Structure formats: structure tokens, C-alpha cells
Amino acid sequence: MKAAIFIEPGRIILGEKPIPDVGPLDALIRITTTTICGTDVHILKGEYPVEAGLTVGHEPVGVIEKLGSSVTGFEEGQRVIAGAITPSGTSNASLCGFHAQCGGQEGHGWKAIGGWRFGNTIDGAQAEYLLVPDAMANLAPIPDGLTDEQVLMCPDIMSTGFGGAEAGRIRIGDTVAVFAQGPIGLCAAAGAHMMGATTIIGVESVPARMEMSKKMGATHVVDFSKVDPVDEILKITDGRGVDVAIEALGTQETFEGALRVLRPGGTLSSLGVYSGDLTIPLDAFSAGLGDNTIRSTLCPGGKERMRRLMETVESGRVDTGQLVTHHYPLDSIEDAYELFANQRDGVLKVAIRT
């Protein structure tokens, strides 16, 4: 089968690999559509380490090709997605609801980021076929009538963005700032809107993303290339600050900006993947006495999460399909990486067809 393979920092190629064998608890998925994530770009640049030879990607949409002997409740030929996070479903972490921190079935059952396996510790979704472990915990049937593109954001981008809003514990009438309006930040804005926030402030400078931000629920969009976003957000809130600030890029600048716009007792919900040390400024942190909360979130996974997200799409309450701006065949995935990694041509998300 064809697969996008990490070779070394700066180099992901389209190569050949054997089609995986299927174990008793596994499912083999024939990928019909997948996409490239910002985390894949971190891998490409060597900012997040993975083993050479690994197939990358963690956002699968496809059809069940073969089921393991112990898998029940699914049929071969069924259209499904699996989350970017694939918990065992039986570990202590999973049973506590922390699927992303699943340490499997051995020992204490906890491992930081352990639930992220596709394209991290096992072969991922940018290929013609994908082996899904613990299939009964992770496969979710696609509702009839939904296209691949309509559910393509569910495995990661939508789940992560919504997870950031949920981690902020947004309440009806809240004011929320979302720093960066890439695909995850846009989904965070949509999640904040669905949870009842009435003032949602996106921070962005790319005109197409600023326009999309309003479509996804933002009531204000601050262009950080023209004004200081902290000053502008404090102006919008009459100096009060926001109830929840969501950081969706992963830089010191955006993390610090999110902290500086929080009201006392507010929550900073961190979604960024950081590739260096973070510094917490003493004044922005109120010397540790401001009753602020900082929460980090890795994409929630598992089949129930995927079901809920697809039902949200099916209801028409959110349209994440509009985030797909470009289309490439798997054969041209190296070109797709070049486009996405360099953020050319107004790209938001790329649909990769196999």
C-alpha cells in the first residue's frame, strides 16, 4: 500500500508499506479521505520526535475492510471514522475519562499523551489502509447522508477545538477570547458559541481566516498585525477581561496574551503544542494570587466522542466542511505538505483522497 512516511526532519515521502495484519481486537480501514494537521508539520520539522519509518497522520475517514475475530457491533463495508486519540477503553485512565492519557492495560494505566497512537507511536492514517487498535472502543459509524468532508474534522480538529471550549467551562453569557484562528482555533470559537458565550473575540491577521472566524461564531475579530490584541480585548471588555481565554497556536506570545486578558478567576484553556519552554509573567499571573485556572487539553477521543461530534454536524449546528479549502490525491501528498507547511494560497485544511 502507499503511505506517507516520516524519514527525517524536513522529509516526509510517499512510499510503499505492507498492508497491516489484523489482530483479534483490531479493524483494518480502507482510507477514503484524510488530512494534514499542524502536529504533522511539527513532526515534519523535527519539533515533535517520532521514529523514522513511521506512517504519519491521525485523521481517518474510511470503510471497514476487515474486522478482527473478537470485534462485534460493526460490519465490513461500513463507513466509519476513528478519533485521533485511540484509547484502549479498559485502562485506569480511560475508565476515569482521560482517554488521551491512556497507558494501556499494564501497570497503573496512565501515560501522558498515551492515547495518541496514530502517527505517533503506531502507523497513521495518511495511507491507503489503517490498522485501528481496540476497534470497539474507537470506531464510529458515519451517519447516512454525511459526506467524508463533513466529518473529516471530527477525529481531531473539531474534537480538539470543542475540547478547548469545554475545558474552559464556558457558561451562558461568557466572554471568550481565542488566540489564533487556524482550524483548531476556529473550532474553538464554534464550540464557545455552542456553549453559550455571547461575546467571542478571535485574534488573527490573515483576512480569509478573520472572515471564517465570524462564520464560525466570533462576534469580534482583532487583527494583531494592526493593534495590540491585549489592549484591544481589554478595550472591548471595558477593562474587565475575558472569562475564558483559549490559546490555539502554541507560542509564548499567544500563551502570554491569553493570560494577560483574563479577568481575575478566569480560565486559560491551552490547546497549543509547545516546542519550547513557557514563561509565566509574574504580573499577568497576579503573583499566583488571581484565582486563575490554566488547563491543557489533548484532543478527546473514543467512539462516543466521535458519535456526538458527527451528530452535531448532522444537526446542522456547525459546518466544519467549509474549513476544507484544498484537495489532493494521496499520490500528491508531498505537494500537499509543501502547501500546508508554508501556509500558502489561503489554506485551512487539505482533503487527501486515496
Side-chain angles (χ1 to χ4, degrees), residues 11-26:
R11 192 174 175 218
I12 289 175
I13 67 165
L14 186 67
E16 292 281 339
K17 280 192 170 184
I19 296 174
D21 294 327
V22 180
L25 297 176
D26 302 333

Side-chain angles (χ1 to χ4, degrees), residues 230-249:
V230 172
D231 290 344
E232 191 67 16
I233 290 169
L234 292 176
K235 186 184 301 182
I236 291 169
T237 61
D238 293 326
R240 173 182 180 272
V242 301
D243 301 290
V244 179
I246 302 174
E247 195 290 309
L249 185 60

Side-chain angles (χ1 to χ4, degrees), residues 2 18 37 115-116 153 173 185 200 219 241 353:
K2 297 174 183 176
C37 179
W116 173 29
M153 301 303 125
I200 302 168
T219 56
R353 302 279 191 183

Side-chain angles (χ1 to χ4, degrees), residues 22-328:
V22 180
L25 297 176
D26 302 333
L28 184 68
I29 305 303
R30 176 174 56 82
I31 297 295
T32 53
T33 308
T34 187
T35 185
I36 300 171
C37 179
T39 307
D40 299 325
V41 175
H42 284 297
I43 291 171
L44 173 64
K45 293 180 178 179
E47 295 169 346
Y48 185 89
V50 299
E51 292 286 335
L54 188 77
T55 301
V56 291
H58 50 263
E59 296 162 278
V61 182
V63 176
I64 297 174
E65 184 78 9
K66 186 176 180 180
L67 290 170
S69 58
S70 297
V71 177
T72 61
F74 297 93
E75 298 178 356
E76 293 175 0
Q78 191 173 23
R79 293 179 65 225
V80 292
I81 65 172
I85 302 302
T86 52
S88 67
T90 57
S91 71
N92 291 348
S94 285
L95 293 173
C96 286
F98 289 93
H99 298 308
Q101 316 304 330
C102 175
Q105 300 178 17
E106 298 185 14
H108 50 67
W110 295 83
K111 182 181 179 183
I113 323 178
W116 173 29
R117 294 191 270 182
F118 292 145
N120 183 22
T121 57
I122 64 174
D123 280 340
Q126 291 169 16
E128 292 182 295
Y129 293 92
L130 172 70
L131 189 70
V132 179
D134 300 302
M136 287 190 292
N138 293 298
L139 291 182
I142 299 171
D144 293 339
L146 290 185
T147 67
D148 281 13
E149 287 190 6
Q150 285 178 291
V151 301
L152 183 58
M153 301 303 125
C154 294
D156 181 4
I157 299 302
M158 183 181 176
S159 188
T160 301
F162 278 30
E166 291 162 326
R169 296 174 178 167
I170 293 168
R171 298 182 297 178
I172 292 171
D174 269 356
T175 296
V176 177
V178 185
F179 280 74
Q181 291 292 271
I184 286 178
L186 289 166
C187 286
H193 175 71
M194 291 186 64
M195 292 182 73
T198 49
T199 301
I200 302 168
I201 307 165
V203 179
E204 186 51 68
S205 67
V206 178
R209 295 187 176 201
M210 295 175 71
E211 181 180 349
M212 184 62 72
S213 180
K214 293 181 178 179
K215 292 180 180 179
M216 297 294 281
T219 56
H220 303 71
V221 185
V222 173
D223 185 345
F224 68 84
S225 69
K226 295 180 179 178
V227 296
D228 182 296
V230 172
D231 290 344
E232 191 67 16
I233 290 169
L234 292 176
K235 186 184 301 182
I236 291 169
T237 61
D238 293 326
R240 173 182 180 272
V242 301
D243 301 290
V244 179
I246 302 174
E247 195 290 309
L249 185 60
T251 69
Q252 173 68 37
E253 183 178 12
T254 49
F255 180 87
E256 185 172 330
L259 188 60
R260 289 189 179 281
V261 300
L262 277 183
R263 64 158 170 80
T267 298
L268 192 163
S269 177
S270 171
L271 293 175
V273 179
Y274 302 99
S275 54
D277 291 340
L278 287 175
T279 300
I280 297 179
L282 190 65
D283 62 330
F285 198 47
S286 303
L289 303 174
D291 283 327
N292 293 122
T293 299
I294 298 175
R295 297 192 67 193
S296 61
T297 299
L298 178 57
C299 172
K303 68 180 182 182
E304 173 63 7
R305 176 70 170 186
M306 297 301 105
R307 181 193 69 79
R308 287 174 177 269
L309 294 177
M310 288 191 290
E311 288 204 357
T312 302
V313 172
E314 188 178 29
S315 74
R317 294 193 66 190
V318 66
D319 176 14
T320 57
Q322 63 186 323
L323 302 184
V324 177
T325 55
H326 293 73
H327 300 78
Y328 282 83

